[in-house]
Amino acid sequence: MTNQAPERMSFSGLLGWATKPPQAYLVYAICVVLVGGVSFYVGTLKPKHTPGLPPAPAATAPQSK
């Protein structure tokens, strides 16, 4: 036995590992859950309103003569 430190995996090595069939399914599922969670979180945020500003004018259609 030797005391060798394990080699660190580079980003391209990790990308190659994650795109092989067994791992790719799990990576895809994790990405779907993350995108869904972030979308849900962003959808629950309330827009900030600045007090003291009048409301935006409503858009009206041009009147025909």
Side-chain angles (χ1 to χ4, degrees):
M1 275 200 177
T2 60
N3 283 338
Q4 292 180 349
E7 292 185 31
R8 294 187 60 120
M9 187 179 294
S10 66
F11 180 73
S12 61
L14 179 65
L15 189 63
W17 174 85
T19 55
K20 301 276 190 287
Q23 298 90 310
Y25 301 127
L26 182 62
V27 170
Y28 178 78
I30 289 171
C31 289
V32 167
V33 169
L34 284 176
V35 167
V38 169
S39 298
F40 178 77
Y41 175 72
V42 169
T44 60
L45 296 177
K46 294 184 179 178
K48 294 181 180 177
H49 295 287
T50 307
L53 290 179
T60 57
Q63 299 202 1
S64 60
K65 293 184 178 179

